[in-house]
Amino acid sequence: MKKIEHIGIAVKDIEASNDLFAKLFGEPHYKVEEVESEGVKTSFFKVGENKIELLEATREDSPIAKFIEKRGEGIHHIAFDVEDIEKEINRLKGEGFVVLNEIPKRGADNKLVAFLHPKGTNGVLVELCQEIVINN
Ligand code: ZN
């Protein structure tokens, strides 16, 4: 793994949280994106070299809705930047981690992503992400 790519925070009301975090960071978010397949609306903030992702559920069966119901708003996941996501998935499976997406899926912010089951990582939902390089 190369570095922390971003930290994901589950929120109930992304509009209100965009304002709140803009005050906190002194900078507004730089993009919003909806990931239909996951039932989430996201927004991204830059804090120096780091990124924060806010996530709001768009449906009741969204993983974010379930998370907030169980644990309330707060830190939802930590995402790590990887060079080769398939290689990393295989390496982690070999180490005994439970990978929730054996085939990486398309996430927000032009990334291929896969999650590790938090039961195997001391309760921390870990996201692996690899930048999608568009060659043209
Ligand atoms: Zn994320």
Side-chain angles (χ1 to χ4, degrees), residues 18-82:
N18 281 340
D19 290 346
L20 178 73
F21 281 85
K23 277 184 209 159
L24 178 67
F25 300 141
E27 291 268 354
H29 62 283
Y30 65 94
K31 81 156 142 186
V32 289
E33 196 176 334
E34 193 164 332
V35 185
E36 181 70 47
S37 59
E38 292 299 294
V40 293
K41 201 194 245 181
T42 68
S43 63
F44 286 86
F45 291 82
K46 277 200 181 101
V47 187
E49 293 179 359
N50 302 301
K51 287 196 266 181
I52 300 292
E53 174 185 33
L54 303 184
L55 305 112
E56 180 198 65
T58 55
R59 305 190 295 261
E60 265 172 39
D61 65 343
S62 156
I64 295 301
K66 288 178 193 159
F67 176 88
I68 288 177
E69 199 182 293
K70 261 201 254 174
R71 298 171 66 170
E73 294 179 296
I75 292 180
H76 176 258
H77 64 269
I78 301 179
F80 295 92
D81 196 10
V82 299

Side-chain angles (χ1 to χ4, degrees), residues 55-122:
L55 305 112
E56 180 198 65
T58 55
R59 305 190 295 261
E60 265 172 39
D61 65 343
S62 156
I64 295 301
K66 288 178 193 159
F67 176 88
I68 288 177
E69 199 182 293
K70 261 201 254 174
R71 298 171 66 170
E73 294 179 296
I75 292 180
H76 176 258
H77 64 269
I78 301 179
F80 295 92
D81 196 10
V82 299
E83 195 77 55
D84 180 339
I85 196 164
E86 282 169 24
K87 203 168 133 192
E88 201 64 9
I89 287 170
N90 284 328
R91 182 182 75 79
L92 293 167
K93 275 164 63 184
E95 296 284 3
F97 291 97
V98 178
V99 180
L100 295 171
N101 318 91
E102 299 216 359
I103 297 163
K105 56 184 183 174
R106 188 86 190 237
D109 202 26
N110 198 38
K111 298 276 195 295
L112 277 178
V113 305
F115 289 90
L116 302 186
H117 200 295
K119 274 187 186 154
T121 48
N122 289 158

